[in-house]
Amino acid sequence: MSNFERMTDEELALLYVGGNNRAFDELLSRTQSKLFTYIMFVVRDHDTANDIFQDTFVKVIMKLQEGKYTDSGKFSYWITRIAHNVIMDWYRQNKSERIVEPTEDNDLTNLRTASVVDVCRENELVNEQVLADVRRMMDALPAPQREVVYMRFYQQMSFKEIADVTGVSINTSLGRMRYAILNLRRMAREHAIALSLER
């Protein structure tokens, strides 16, 4: 297994295509947490996220076995694109913009940095309230806007990468981010929410 640990995701994918099932096991263990987090952030429901995650990996396996993957150095973006397509199919089938209450598994309090955690208790309480407000406002955004915010700020993807993964133009990605920011600002203003963290 130590040989696998030194390999890139792309090398593991090609090894699996060549018939090595253990290479896929390593690939799955590396990517499943990040991919599930992305799916959960978009769909906001644990059971649905599990279904989409499983459908995504079935499609990943099928595409790998059909030789539809070439080493482009972007395996994680490739599987995220597949997940995005599965999510869009799910939305089309359900034909509704459902907002689901966040669960413990869908908690974004891990966004706090070490400097935030180390502040005095009063500032910590203020910061917890700010982050809770941000989570509530994020829940209210339409799924395409939530998705672009997640990819840009939590996965540090460029707008070109976001456009490639979601299958839209860069201008559409930028537009979704712009509307997300406008919506977040509007909600903050309407509810008199301060969005700056205490140091």
Side-chain angles (χ1 to χ4, degrees), residues 1-26:
M1 194 59 127
S2 60
N3 274 350
F4 290 150
E5 290 170 6
R6 289 193 293 269
M7 292 181 153
T8 65
D9 292 349
E10 293 72 28
E11 290 170 333
L12 288 170
L14 295 175
L15 199 58
Y16 171 68
V17 170
N20 190 322
N21 289 330
R22 285 180 50 220
F24 185 79
D25 293 341
E26 173 68 17

Side-chain angles (χ1 to χ4, degrees), residues 34 45 47 62 66 76 90 104 109 138 146 157 161:
K34 186 175 179 181
D45 178 75
D47 291 337
M62 288 170 51
E66 292 167 2
S76 62
W90 178 81
E104 286 182 8
T109 55
M138 288 289 290
R146 262 199 324 267
M157 292 171 67
E161 290 166 339

Side-chain angles (χ1 to χ4, degrees), residues 10 24 37 69-70 85 87 121 135 159 193 197 199:
E10 293 72 28
F24 185 79
T37 300
Y69 174 76
T70 54
N85 291 338
I87 290 167
R121 183 63 184 146
R135 284 193 301 275
F159 283 106
I193 296 171
L197 296 177
R199 299 286 176 199

Side-chain angles (χ1 to χ4, degrees), residues 62-114:
M62 288 170 51
K63 287 180 185 294
L64 285 171
Q65 290 176 347
E66 292 167 2
K68 292 185 177 174
Y69 174 76
T70 54
D71 183 359
S72 61
K74 302 273 186 181
F75 182 80
S76 62
Y77 296 148
W78 184 71
I79 62 171
T80 302
R81 166 114 190 179
I82 293 171
H84 167 80
N85 291 338
V86 174
I87 290 167
M88 291 305 106
D89 289 344
W90 178 81
Y91 273 116
R92 276 188 219 96
Q93 287 171 355
N94 288 280
K95 293 194 184 217
S96 64
E97 284 280 324
R98 300 182 317 173
I99 295 176
V100 179
E101 288 300 312
T103 64
E104 286 182 8
D105 295 328
N106 192 20
D107 187 4
L108 298 180
T109 55
N110 61 349
L111 299 179
R112 293 180 292 175
T113 63

Side-chain angles (χ1 to χ4, degrees), residues 35 39 52-60 79 82-83 86:
L35 188 66
I39 294 167
I52 289 172
F53 177 82
Q54 290 170 26
D55 287 350
T56 298
F57 263 95
V58 167
K59 287 191 185 322
V60 167
I79 62 171
I82 293 171
V86 174

